[in-house]
Each structure stands twice: as structure tokens, then as C-alpha cells.
Amino acid sequence: MISASALMAVSNSSQISSFRTLPSLLNEANIIGNVLKSKNNKQIKDIYGLSANLTNHVNKLCKDYQTIDKNTNFDQLDLDNFNQAVAMFNGPAFQGLDQASLGNMEKELLQRHLRILTGLYGDLKPFDTIQEHRLCMSTKLNINNNKDLYSYWGNIIAISITNDIKSQLLEIKKEIEKNNETNTKLNSKLKAKGKGKGKELQLSENILPLIINCASQEYYKSISGYLVDLELNNEIMIIECVFLDKGMIKSVYAKRARGLMARYVCTHGGIKTSQDVELIKGFNIEGYKYSATKSSATQYVFDRNSIPNVKMNVKTTETKPKATTSSENTIKSEELSKKRKRK
């Protein structure tokens, strides 16, 4: 799970029709889009707090918003204004992901396992077709008497994501049951021939849907309350990833690392359940290494001693990471502790 970026690229040269899908929360997105479309230039400036030049650009994007639904025919869309999300977003995380260089099988895994949190669309699959827009989750936009986007979205995004991963877990269980049924028949034949038996696939009874959180706090805040409750009830497992450079969080490089992690997952077979969590610790792209001493049960920290020569088109800032000496000191664990006290 990663966050949307403010930087966007509209070029449709990388459109991949076989993976082209529509966002799952279009009804909610259309409400936001049409509210923005109704605003004048001054209102847009006040809402976004932008310069005059940027205000004109964003206002045009808002006015160009096109309402689409699940019945929309892709051939009817003006592809000069639409692109697939993973190609449209062009910030550091998506530069790190570099989806254009992935093979078809890896793109299938990306489509299945990666979700992008956005202010306008809620959550997106990588190859959902979207319009160019600019709307951060923290934007103070009143929608249907909701004071901001956090209030508007409520638990909608979190429910969409958890329903998705729970359905995937159900598919995995069915697939294993089917394979084991086939193996049972094969084992009977092997036993009859005195050749032993084949190996059955095992699925732990306490297996859980797994979320690898590489989203920023601004976006994770839109779903954290609901997910923490599910984690308390032992219904899901969440691992937050933190990326450091010599012990410091350097914003642009940390964002890039989130995309690198998404790439790592889809090039290593995908993360399906809590049984696959150890795979995350093997992340070692561009010099990062898992730090056991800085990590906890719910927060995995990756650090490196030098920054490779990677071209970045935006400036970076440095911040000290929060203490991670125990699981109770992580950002998410603090939320869990507060929830436990209330309960």
C-alpha cells in the first residue's frame, strides 16, 4: 500500500489495455470531482492555498473532470486526459516502482497486490484508468457537510481494501484445498505403487490477510482507525515499513524506497498472507538492509550507509525517525495501545 503523488504524467504511451480497469469507488470519486468542478478560481485558490499560476492549472483540471461509471466504455474516453494510475503518478515512489520495466507476470502481481491511496479516488489498483487531478488527502474540502476528506471517506477506503484482501485470502484457501484434493488422489496412486506420497500444501489455521504499509502518514490516517480495530480483533496483520539513510528519514529517498519495496514484492512472487511476512526482511534494493535492532514486530526498518547515484527531480528534507526500541514505540503500536485503553 502506497500513497498517490502530486506529480502526474498524462502521456498515454504506456497504456496497457490488457490490464486496464476502472476504480472501485467511482461513485464517491464523482461526488468529489463534481464539487471541485463547481468551484470558481478564487475558491480553488483558497481550498488549495496555491500560487496564481498553479491555481489556474488546478482549476482547469477541476473544470475538465469527467464523470464516468463502471459501465463506461474505454473507447469513449479521451486518452489525452486519462491514463492508468501507475503510469499517471510520477512522484519518487512511482519512479522507484518503474512499472514500465516490469514483465507481464510481474504486472499481474502488481495489479493484484498493490493498492494506491488517493484523495480523489480513495484506493486504486495500479492499472485503474484515472484522470489527471490534484487533491491531497489533507485538503480541507467540504463534501456533503463533511469538513474534510478524512470525514468524507470515513471507513469507506479501509472497508474496500480489507474486503479485497479477505477475498484474496479466501481464493488462496480454495486453491490450496483444490491442490490438496488433487494430491490426495495422486498419493493414493503412489502408495499403491509403493512410491511414498507427494507433499500437501499446508495453510496455518491462524493465517491472516497481510498489509504492508508504505503509505505516508497523511494517507494512512484515512484508514488507520478501522484497520487498527481489525488488527486488535486478530483479523488482519499490518507491517509498517520505514526507510532510513544513515539513521535519518530523507523524504524523497524514503518515498522512492516505498516504490522500490512495491517493486521488490511483485518481483518476488507477491505477498499473499501473514505467512509471507519474512520475505519483506529480504528487501535489499539500492543498498537498503533490514535492521533487526531498529525494527519491531509491527514496524520494519531498513537503513543504508550511502545513497546511490540516482537522479531525483525533487528536493529532499531530513527528519529523525521515531523510536523503535519496542513494538509499543512504533507509530502503529501507539495507536493500538490507545485503542486497548479505550476498550
Side-chain angles (χ1 to χ4, degrees):
M1 187 169 62
I2 61 177
S3 314
S5 69
L7 290 175
M8 304 192 84
V10 193
S11 171
N12 58 25
S13 60
S14 57
Q15 288 268 353
I16 308 167
S17 59
S18 59
F19 293 104
R20 197 163 53 188
T21 50
L22 287 172
S24 59
L25 300 175
L26 273 176
N27 290 339
E28 291 80 3
N30 285 334
I31 292 172
I32 298 174
N34 287 319
V35 167
L36 288 171
K37 194 171 186 175
S38 70
K39 303 296 183 182
N40 59 39
N41 207 60
K42 183 181 182 305
Q43 290 172 319
I44 291 295
K45 186 178 188 305
D46 292 340
I47 290 169
Y48 285 86
L50 300 172
S51 66
N53 287 338
L54 271 177
T55 297
N56 291 334
H57 173 66
V58 172
N59 190 38
K60 184 180 184 305
L61 293 180
C62 294
K63 291 293 185 286
D64 290 343
Y65 182 82
Q66 182 179 340
T67 299
I68 61 176
D69 59 36
K70 62 180 181 180
N71 298 316
T72 296
N73 189 325
F74 286 111
D75 295 332
Q76 298 173 339
L77 298 178
D78 180 0
L79 293 183
D80 287 335
N81 297 322
F82 287 83
N83 203 348
Q84 291 155 310
V86 77
M88 177 79 83
F89 294 120
N90 196 35
F94 295 89
Q95 293 170 31
L97 175 59
D98 189 19
Q99 62 82 26
S101 67
L102 296 174
N104 284 345
M105 185 175 296
E106 292 163 338
K107 285 176 179 173
E108 288 180 6
L109 287 170
L110 195 69
Q111 178 78 343
R112 182 177 178 84
H113 295 292
L114 180 65
R115 293 298 176 265
I116 305 165
L117 302 180
T118 84
L120 177 59
Y121 291 99
D123 77 282
L124 293 168
K125 297 182 292 296
F127 297 102
D128 283 350
T129 297
I130 64 172
Q131 299 171 68
E132 184 183 7
H133 64 280
R134 186 180 180 120
L135 187 65
C136 296
M137 187 65 77
S138 58
T139 302
K140 300 293 184 182
L141 178 65
N142 189 299
I143 306 285
N144 292 349
N145 294 322
N146 292 289
K147 64 178 181 179
D148 54 27
L149 292 175
Y150 295 115
S151 299
Y152 172 74
W153 282 114
N155 291 331
I156 294 173
I157 302 173
I159 291 172
S160 173
I161 290 174
T162 52
N163 285 345
D164 190 2
I165 60 174
K166 284 181 178 180
S167 67
Q168 288 189 32
L169 179 59
L170 184 60
E171 290 175 12
I172 292 169
K173 288 181 177 180
K174 287 181 179 179
E175 183 179 345
I176 288 177
E177 288 173 359
K178 183 178 179 180
N179 287 339
N180 284 342
E181 184 178 342
T182 301
N183 285 338
T184 298
K185 294 178 181 179
L186 176 62
N187 288 339
S188 297
K189 293 180 181 180
L190 290 173
K191 185 176 181 180
K193 295 180 180 181
K195 295 182 179 181
K197 65 177 184 177
K199 183 179 180 181
E200 290 191 357
L201 297 173
Q202 298 296 322
L203 192 65
S204 172
E205 291 183 0
N206 62 349
I207 192 171
L208 298 172
L210 174 64
I211 292 178
I212 303 301
N213 176 27
C214 291
S216 67
Q217 287 300 308
E218 173 189 351
Y219 284 85
Y220 183 60
K221 180 181 173 181
S222 68
I223 60 175
S224 60
Y226 185 85
L227 295 186
V228 165
D229 281 337
L230 290 181
E231 191 171 28
L232 274 173
N233 292 329
N234 202 34
E235 295 181 44
I236 62 172
M237 180 179 184
I238 305 170
I239 298 295
E240 179 189 18
C241 291
V242 177
F243 303 97
L244 308 178
D245 284 278
K246 295 182 179 179
M248 302 286 288
I249 296 175
K250 297 189 176 182
S251 60
V252 172
Y253 296 112
K255 290 176 182 178
R256 176 177 173 82
R258 294 165 185 167
L260 292 174
M261 176 61 82
R263 181 182 180 88
Y264 170 81
V265 168
C266 75
T267 55
H268 286 74
I271 297 295
K272 302 179 182 69
T273 71
S274 54
Q275 287 185 328
D276 300 321
V277 73
E278 288 299 312
L279 174 65
I280 300 300
K281 295 179 181 179
F283 174 73
N284 60 358
I285 302 177
E286 295 188 1
Y288 285 105
K289 289 185 179 179
Y290 171 75
S291 173
T293 57
K294 296 176 182 177
S295 298
S296 70
T298 58
Q299 187 183 71
Y300 287 2
V301 177
F302 301 86
D303 203 349
R304 62 184 178 183
N305 294 321
S306 62
I307 300 173
N309 186 21
V310 177
K311 184 179 180 180
M312 306 295 290
N313 57 6
V314 285
K315 294 181 180 179
T316 187
T317 57
E318 293 186 3
T319 56
K320 291 183 179 180
K322 293 190 177 183
T324 57
T325 54
S326 72
S327 60
E328 290 302 312
N329 286 332
T330 66
I331 296 168
K332 180 155 52 19
S333 291
E334 288 173 358
E335 293 178 344
L336 284 167
S337 296
K338 291 176 183 177
K339 290 279 185 179
R340 290 189 182 103
K341 287 178 183 178
R342 287 201 294 269
K343 291 191 174 195

Short mmCIF file of all heavy atoms in Angstrom, two decimals, residues 166-214:
data_model
loop_
_atom_site.label_atom_id
_atom_site.label_comp_id
_atom_site.label_asym_id
_atom_site.label_seq_id
_atom_site.Cartn_x
_atom_site.Cartn_y
_atom_site.Cartn_z
N LYS A 166 -9.35 -9.86 2.01
CA LYS A 166 -10.02 -11.03 2.59
C LYS A 166 -10.52 -11.95 1.48
O LYS A 166 -10.47 -13.18 1.62
CB LYS A 166 -11.17 -10.59 3.50
CG LYS A 166 -10.71 -10.05 4.85
CD LYS A 166 -11.88 -9.65 5.72
CE LYS A 166 -11.42 -9.16 7.09
NZ LYS A 166 -12.55 -8.77 7.96
N SER A 167 -11.00 -11.37 0.39
CA SER A 167 -11.46 -12.20 -0.73
C SER A 167 -10.28 -12.91 -1.38
O SER A 167 -10.40 -14.06 -1.82
CB SER A 167 -12.20 -11.34 -1.77
OG SER A 167 -11.32 -10.42 -2.39
N GLN A 168 -9.12 -12.24 -1.41
CA GLN A 168 -7.92 -12.88 -1.95
C GLN A 168 -7.49 -14.05 -1.07
O GLN A 168 -7.08 -15.10 -1.57
CB GLN A 168 -6.78 -11.86 -2.07
CG GLN A 168 -6.97 -10.86 -3.20
CD GLN A 168 -5.74 -10.01 -3.42
OE1 GLN A 168 -4.61 -10.46 -3.22
NE2 GLN A 168 -5.92 -8.78 -3.85
N LEU A 169 -7.59 -13.88 0.25
CA LEU A 169 -7.23 -14.96 1.17
C LEU A 169 -8.17 -16.15 0.97
O LEU A 169 -7.73 -17.31 0.99
CB LEU A 169 -7.32 -14.47 2.61
CG LEU A 169 -7.00 -15.51 3.70
CD1 LEU A 169 -5.59 -16.06 3.54
CD2 LEU A 169 -7.17 -14.90 5.09
N LEU A 170 -9.44 -15.88 0.74
CA LEU A 170 -10.41 -16.95 0.51
C LEU A 170 -10.05 -17.72 -0.76
O LEU A 170 -10.13 -18.95 -0.81
CB LEU A 170 -11.82 -16.36 0.40
CG LEU A 170 -12.97 -17.37 0.25
CD1 LEU A 170 -13.02 -18.30 1.46
CD2 LEU A 170 -14.29 -16.63 0.10
N GLU A 171 -9.63 -16.98 -1.80
CA GLU A 171 -9.22 -17.63 -3.04
C GLU A 171 -8.00 -18.51 -2.83
O GLU A 171 -7.90 -19.62 -3.38
CB GLU A 171 -8.90 -16.57 -4.10
CG GLU A 171 -10.13 -15.83 -4.62
CD GLU A 171 -9.76 -14.71 -5.59
OE1 GLU A 171 -8.59 -14.67 -6.02
OE2 GLU A 171 -10.62 -13.89 -5.91
N ILE A 172 -7.07 -18.04 -2.01
CA ILE A 172 -5.86 -18.81 -1.72
C ILE A 172 -6.23 -20.12 -1.01
O ILE A 172 -5.72 -21.19 -1.34
CB ILE A 172 -4.89 -17.99 -0.85
CG1 ILE A 172 -4.33 -16.82 -1.65
CG2 ILE A 172 -3.75 -18.86 -0.34
CD1 ILE A 172 -3.59 -15.80 -0.81
N LYS A 173 -7.12 -20.03 -0.03
CA LYS A 173 -7.55 -21.22 0.71
C LYS A 173 -8.22 -22.22 -0.22
O LYS A 173 -7.97 -23.43 -0.14
CB LYS A 173 -8.49 -20.82 1.84
CG LYS A 173 -7.80 -20.10 3.00
CD LYS A 173 -8.79 -19.75 4.10
CE LYS A 173 -8.09 -19.09 5.29
NZ LYS A 173 -9.03 -18.73 6.37
N LYS A 174 -9.06 -21.72 -1.13
CA LYS A 174 -9.75 -22.60 -2.08
C LYS A 174 -8.75 -23.27 -3.02
O LYS A 174 -8.88 -24.45 -3.36
CB LYS A 174 -10.78 -21.81 -2.87
CG LYS A 174 -12.02 -21.42 -2.08
CD LYS A 174 -13.01 -20.65 -2.96
CE LYS A 174 -14.26 -20.29 -2.16
NZ LYS A 174 -15.22 -19.52 -3.00
N GLU A 175 -7.75 -22.49 -3.44
CA GLU A 175 -6.73 -23.03 -4.34
C GLU A 175 -5.92 -24.14 -3.66
O GLU A 175 -5.64 -25.18 -4.26
CB GLU A 175 -5.79 -21.90 -4.79
CG GLU A 175 -4.73 -22.35 -5.78
CD GLU A 175 -3.84 -21.20 -6.21
OE1 GLU A 175 -4.20 -20.03 -5.97
OE2 GLU A 175 -2.77 -21.47 -6.78
N ILE A 176 -5.57 -23.91 -2.38
CA ILE A 176 -4.81 -24.91 -1.64
C ILE A 176 -5.66 -26.17 -1.42
O ILE A 176 -5.17 -27.30 -1.56
CB ILE A 176 -4.33 -24.34 -0.30
CG1 ILE A 176 -3.21 -23.33 -0.56
CG2 ILE A 176 -3.84 -25.44 0.64
CD1 ILE A 176 -2.68 -22.64 0.69
N GLU A 177 -6.93 -25.98 -1.09
CA GLU A 177 -7.83 -27.13 -0.91
C GLU A 177 -7.95 -27.94 -2.20
O GLU A 177 -7.96 -29.17 -2.18
CB GLU A 177 -9.21 -26.63 -0.46
CG GLU A 177 -9.23 -26.13 0.98
CD GLU A 177 -10.57 -25.50 1.35
OE1 GLU A 177 -11.46 -25.45 0.46
OE2 GLU A 177 -10.72 -25.05 2.50
N LYS A 178 -8.03 -27.23 -3.32
CA LYS A 178 -8.13 -27.90 -4.62
C LYS A 178 -6.86 -28.67 -4.93
O LYS A 178 -6.90 -29.83 -5.38
CB LYS A 178 -8.40 -26.88 -5.72
CG LYS A 178 -8.60 -27.48 -7.10
CD LYS A 178 -8.91 -26.41 -8.13
CE LYS A 178 -9.08 -27.02 -9.51
NZ LYS A 178 -9.38 -25.97 -10.54
N ASN A 179 -5.70 -28.04 -4.67
CA ASN A 179 -4.42 -28.72 -4.92
C ASN A 179 -4.25 -29.93 -4.02
O ASN A 179 -3.75 -30.97 -4.45
CB ASN A 179 -3.26 -27.74 -4.68
CG ASN A 179 -3.14 -26.71 -5.78
OD1 ASN A 179 -3.62 -26.91 -6.89
ND2 ASN A 179 -2.52 -25.57 -5.48
N ASN A 180 -4.67 -29.78 -2.74
CA ASN A 180 -4.54 -30.90 -1.81
C ASN A 180 -5.47 -32.05 -2.18
O ASN A 180 -5.14 -33.22 -1.97
CB ASN A 180 -4.81 -30.44 -0.39
CG ASN A 180 -3.64 -29.65 0.19
OD1 ASN A 180 -2.53 -29.72 -0.32
ND2 ASN A 180 -3.89 -28.91 1.25
N GLU A 181 -6.63 -31.71 -2.73
CA GLU A 181 -7.56 -32.76 -3.19
C GLU A 181 -6.93 -33.54 -4.33
O GLU A 181 -7.02 -34.77 -4.39
CB GLU A 181 -8.87 -32.11 -3.64
CG GLU A 181 -9.93 -33.12 -4.04
CD GLU A 181 -11.23 -32.44 -4.45
OE1 GLU A 181 -11.43 -31.26 -4.12
OE2 GLU A 181 -12.05 -33.11 -5.12
N THR A 182 -6.27 -32.80 -5.23
CA THR A 182 -5.59 -33.46 -6.35
C THR A 182 -4.44 -34.32 -5.84
O THR A 182 -4.22 -35.45 -6.30
CB THR A 182 -5.04 -32.40 -7.33
OG1 THR A 182 -6.13 -31.62 -7.82
CG2 THR A 182 -4.34 -33.06 -8.50
N ASN A 183 -3.69 -33.79 -4.86
CA ASN A 183 -2.56 -34.52 -4.30
C ASN A 183 -3.01 -35.78 -3.56
O ASN A 183 -2.31 -36.79 -3.54
CB ASN A 183 -1.76 -33.63 -3.36
CG ASN A 183 -0.90 -32.63 -4.09
OD1 ASN A 183 -0.59 -32.82 -5.26
ND2 ASN A 183 -0.53 -31.55 -3.42
N THR A 184 -4.19 -35.72 -2.92
CA THR A 184 -4.72 -36.89 -2.21
C THR A 184 -4.94 -38.04 -3.18
O THR A 184 -4.61 -39.20 -2.90
CB THR A 184 -6.04 -36.53 -1.50
OG1 THR A 184 -5.79 -35.51 -0.53
CG2 THR A 184 -6.62 -37.76 -0.80
N LYS A 185 -5.49 -37.72 -4.34
CA LYS A 185 -5.73 -38.74 -5.37
C LYS A 185 -4.40 -39.28 -5.88
O LYS A 185 -4.24 -40.49 -6.10
CB LYS A 185 -6.54 -38.16 -6.51
CG LYS A 185 -7.96 -37.76 -6.12
CD LYS A 185 -8.70 -37.13 -7.30
CE LYS A 185 -10.11 -36.71 -6.87
NZ LYS A 185 -10.85 -36.06 -8.01
N LEU A 186 -3.43 -38.35 -6.07
CA LEU A 186 -2.11 -38.77 -6.55
C LEU A 186 -1.41 -39.64 -5.51
O LEU A 186 -0.79 -40.65 -5.85
CB LEU A 186 -1.26 -37.54 -6.85
CG LEU A 186 0.20 -37.79 -7.28
CD1 LEU A 186 0.24 -38.60 -8.57
CD2 LEU A 186 0.93 -36.47 -7.44
N ASN A 187 -1.56 -39.28 -4.23
CA ASN A 187 -0.92 -40.04 -3.15
C ASN A 187 -1.45 -41.46 -3.09
O ASN A 187 -0.71 -42.40 -2.80
CB ASN A 187 -1.14 -39.35 -1.81
CG ASN A 187 -0.31 -38.07 -1.69
OD1 ASN A 187 0.67 -37.90 -2.40
ND2 ASN A 187 -0.73 -37.17 -0.80
N SER A 188 -2.73 -41.63 -3.37
CA SER A 188 -3.33 -42.96 -3.36
C SER A 188 -2.69 -43.84 -4.44
O SER A 188 -2.39 -45.02 -4.21
CB SER A 188 -4.83 -42.87 -3.60
OG SER A 188 -5.45 -42.15 -2.54
N LYS A 189 -2.46 -43.23 -5.59
CA LYS A 189 -1.83 -43.97 -6.69
C LYS A 189 -0.37 -44.30 -6.37
O LYS A 189 0.10 -45.40 -6.63
CB LYS A 189 -1.91 -43.15 -7.98
CG LYS A 189 -3.32 -42.97 -8.50
CD LYS A 189 -3.32 -42.16 -9.79
CE LYS A 189 -4.74 -41.95 -10.31
NZ LYS A 189 -4.76 -41.15 -11.57
N LEU A 190 0.34 -43.31 -5.77
CA LEU A 190 1.74 -43.53 -5.42
C LEU A 190 1.88 -44.61 -4.35
O LEU A 190 2.79 -45.44 -4.39
CB LEU A 190 2.37 -42.22 -4.92
CG LEU A 190 2.60 -41.13 -5.97
CD1 LEU A 190 3.05 -39.84 -5.30
CD2 LEU A 190 3.61 -41.57 -7.01
N LYS A 191 0.97 -44.57 -3.38
CA LYS A 191 1.00 -45.56 -2.30
C LYS A 191 0.76 -46.96 -2.85
O LYS A 191 1.39 -47.93 -2.41
CB LYS A 191 -0.05 -45.21 -1.26
CG LYS A 191 0.00 -46.11 -0.02
CD LYS A 191 -1.01 -45.64 1.01
CE LYS A 191 -0.96 -46.53 2.26
NZ LYS A 191 -1.93 -46.09 3.29
N ALA A 192 -0.17 -47.04 -3.80
CA ALA A 192 -0.48 -48.34 -4.40
C ALA A 192 0.73 -48.90 -5.14
O ALA A 192 0.91 -50.12 -5.22
CB ALA A 192 -1.67 -48.20 -5.35
N LYS A 193 1.57 -48.01 -5.65
CA LYS A 193 2.76 -48.44 -6.38
C LYS A 193 3.98 -48.53 -5.48
O LYS A 193 5.10 -48.80 -5.95
CB LYS A 193 3.05 -47.46 -7.52
CG LYS A 193 1.96 -47.46 -8.60
CD LYS A 193 2.31 -46.46 -9.70
CE LYS A 193 1.24 -46.43 -10.78
NZ LYS A 193 1.59 -45.48 -11.87
N GLY A 194 3.77 -48.24 -4.16
CA GLY A 194 4.87 -48.31 -3.22
C GLY A 194 5.91 -47.22 -3.39
O GLY A 194 7.09 -47.40 -3.10
N LYS A 195 5.47 -46.05 -3.85
CA LYS A 195 6.40 -44.95 -4.12
C LYS A 195 6.22 -43.78 -3.14
O LYS A 195 6.59 -42.65 -3.43
CB LYS A 195 6.21 -44.44 -5.55
CG LYS A 195 6.58 -45.47 -6.60
CD LYS A 195 6.43 -44.89 -8.01
CE LYS A 195 6.83 -45.91 -9.06
NZ LYS A 195 6.71 -45.34 -10.43
N GLY A 196 5.70 -44.04 -1.98
CA GLY A 196 5.52 -42.97 -0.99
C GLY A 196 4.38 -42.06 -1.38
O GLY A 196 3.43 -42.47 -2.04
N LYS A 197 4.49 -40.80 -0.99
CA LYS A 197 3.43 -39.86 -1.34
C LYS A 197 3.98 -38.46 -1.57
O LYS A 197 5.07 -38.10 -1.11
CB LYS A 197 2.37 -39.82 -0.24
CG LYS A 197 2.84 -39.27 1.09
CD LYS A 197 1.67 -39.21 2.07
CE LYS A 197 2.11 -38.58 3.40
NZ LYS A 197 0.97 -38.44 4.33
N GLY A 198 3.20 -37.68 -2.31
CA GLY A 198 3.59 -36.31 -2.61
C GLY A 198 3.33 -35.39 -1.43
O GLY A 198 2.70 -35.77 -0.44
N LYS A 199 3.83 -34.18 -1.52
CA LYS A 199 3.71 -33.20 -0.43
C LYS A 199 2.43 -32.40 -0.56
O LYS A 199 2.11 -31.89 -1.63
CB LYS A 199 4.91 -32.25 -0.44
CG LYS A 199 4.91 -31.26 0.70
CD LYS A 199 6.13 -30.37 0.63
CE LYS A 199 6.14 -29.36 1.76
NZ LYS A 199 7.32 -28.46 1.70
N GLU A 200 1.69 -32.29 0.54
CA GLU A 200 0.49 -31.47 0.56
C GLU A 200 0.83 -30.06 1.01
O GLU A 200 1.71 -29.86 1.85
CB GLU A 200 -0.57 -32.07 1.50
CG GLU A 200 -1.17 -33.36 0.98
CD GLU A 200 -2.39 -33.77 1.79
OE1 GLU A 200 -2.69 -33.07 2.78
OE2 GLU A 200 -3.02 -34.77 1.45
N LEU A 201 0.11 -29.09 0.44
CA LEU A 201 0.30 -27.70 0.84
C LEU A 201 -0.38 -27.46 2.17
O LEU A 201 -1.50 -27.92 2.39
CB LEU A 201 -0.28 -26.76 -0.23
CG LEU A 201 0.38 -26.84 -1.61
CD1 LEU A 201 -0.40 -25.98 -2.60
CD2 LEU A 201 1.82 -26.37 -1.55
N GLN A 202 0.29 -26.77 3.06
CA GLN A 202 -0.26 -26.52 4.39
C GLN A 202 -0.61 -25.04 4.55
O GLN A 202 0.11 -24.16 4.11
CB GLN A 202 0.76 -26.93 5.46
CG GLN A 202 1.11 -28.41 5.43
CD GLN A 202 -0.08 -29.29 5.73
OE1 GLN A 202 -0.92 -28.96 6.58
NE2 GLN A 202 -0.17 -30.41 5.03
N LEU A 203 -1.73 -24.78 5.20
CA LEU A 203 -2.16 -23.42 5.49
C LEU A 203 -2.44 -23.31 6.98
O LEU A 203 -3.31 -24.00 7.50
CB LEU A 203 -3.43 -23.08 4.69
CG LEU A 203 -3.84 -21.62 4.67
CD1 LEU A 203 -2.80 -20.78 3.94
CD2 LEU A 203 -5.19 -21.43 4.01
N SER A 204 -1.68 -22.50 7.66
CA SER A 204 -1.84 -22.36 9.10
C SER A 204 -3.25 -21.89 9.44
O SER A 204 -3.84 -21.09 8.73
CB SER A 204 -0.81 -21.34 9.63
OG SER A 204 -1.06 -21.05 10.98
N GLU A 205 -3.77 -22.40 10.55
CA GLU A 205 -5.13 -22.03 10.96
C GLU A 205 -5.23 -20.56 11.34
O GLU A 205 -6.27 -19.94 11.20
CB GLU A 205 -5.57 -22.90 12.15
CG GLU A 205 -5.79 -24.36 11.77
CD GLU A 205 -6.29 -25.17 12.94
OE1 GLU A 205 -6.47 -24.58 14.03
OE2 GLU A 205 -6.52 -26.37 12.79
N ASN A 206 -4.12 -19.99 11.84
CA ASN A 206 -4.15 -18.59 12.27
C ASN A 206 -3.59 -17.64 11.20
O ASN A 206 -3.13 -16.55 11.51
CB ASN A 206 -3.38 -18.41 13.57
CG ASN A 206 -1.91 -18.77 13.42
OD1 ASN A 206 -1.51 -19.33 12.41
ND2 ASN A 206 -1.12 -18.45 14.43
N ILE A 207 -3.63 -18.08 9.95
CA ILE A 207 -3.16 -17.24 8.86
C ILE A 207 -4.05 -16.01 8.72
O ILE A 207 -5.26 -16.09 8.92
CB ILE A 207 -3.13 -18.04 7.54
CG1 ILE A 207 -2.38 -17.26 6.48
CG2 ILE A 207 -4.53 -18.36 7.05
CD1 ILE A 207 -2.12 -18.07 5.23
N LEU A 208 -3.44 -14.86 8.44
CA LEU A 208 -4.19 -13.60 8.35
C LEU A 208 -3.89 -12.87 7.05
O LEU A 208 -2.79 -13.00 6.49
CB LEU A 208 -3.80 -12.68 9.52
CG LEU A 208 -4.10 -13.17 10.93
CD1 LEU A 208 -3.47 -12.21 11.94
CD2 LEU A 208 -5.59 -13.28 11.15
N PRO A 209 -4.83 -12.06 6.56
CA PRO A 209 -4.52 -11.17 5.45
C PRO A 209 -3.43 -10.20 5.89
O PRO A 209 -3.42 -9.74 7.03
CB PRO A 209 -5.84 -10.42 5.20
CG PRO A 209 -6.90 -11.27 5.81
CD PRO A 209 -6.24 -11.94 6.99
N LEU A 210 -2.49 -9.91 5.00
CA LEU A 210 -1.34 -9.09 5.35
C LEU A 210 -1.34 -7.77 4.57
O LEU A 210 -1.52 -7.77 3.35
CB LEU A 210 -0.05 -9.85 5.05
CG LEU A 210 1.27 -9.09 5.22
CD1 LEU A 210 1.47 -8.69 6.67
CD2 LEU A 210 2.44 -9.94 4.72
N ILE A 211 -1.14 -6.67 5.30
CA ILE A 211 -1.00 -5.35 4.67
C ILE A 211 0.40 -4.84 4.96
O ILE A 211 0.80 -4.73 6.12
CB ILE A 211 -2.04 -4.35 5.20
CG1 ILE A 211 -3.45 -4.74 4.75
CG2 ILE A 211 -1.72 -2.93 4.71
CD1 ILE A 211 -4.54 -3.82 5.28
N ILE A 212 1.14 -4.53 3.90
CA ILE A 212 2.45 -3.89 4.04
C ILE A 212 2.23 -2.40 3.82
O ILE A 212 1.95 -1.96 2.70
CB ILE A 212 3.46 -4.45 3.02
CG1 ILE A 212 3.60 -5.97 3.18
CG2 ILE A 212 4.83 -3.77 3.20
CD1 ILE A 212 4.06 -6.42 4.53
N ASN A 213 2.32 -1.62 4.87
CA ASN A 213 2.02 -0.19 4.80
C ASN A 213 3.26 0.62 4.43
O ASN A 213 4.16 0.81 5.25
CB ASN A 213 1.46 0.29 6.14
CG ASN A 213 1.23 1.80 6.14
OD1 ASN A 213 1.00 2.40 5.09
ND2 ASN A 213 1.30 2.41 7.30
N CYS A 214 3.29 1.10 3.19
CA CYS A 214 4.35 2.00 2.74
C CYS A 214 3.76 3.37 2.40
O CYS A 214 4.37 4.16 1.67
CB CYS A 214 5.06 1.42 1.52
SG CYS A 214 6.05 -0.04 1.88
#
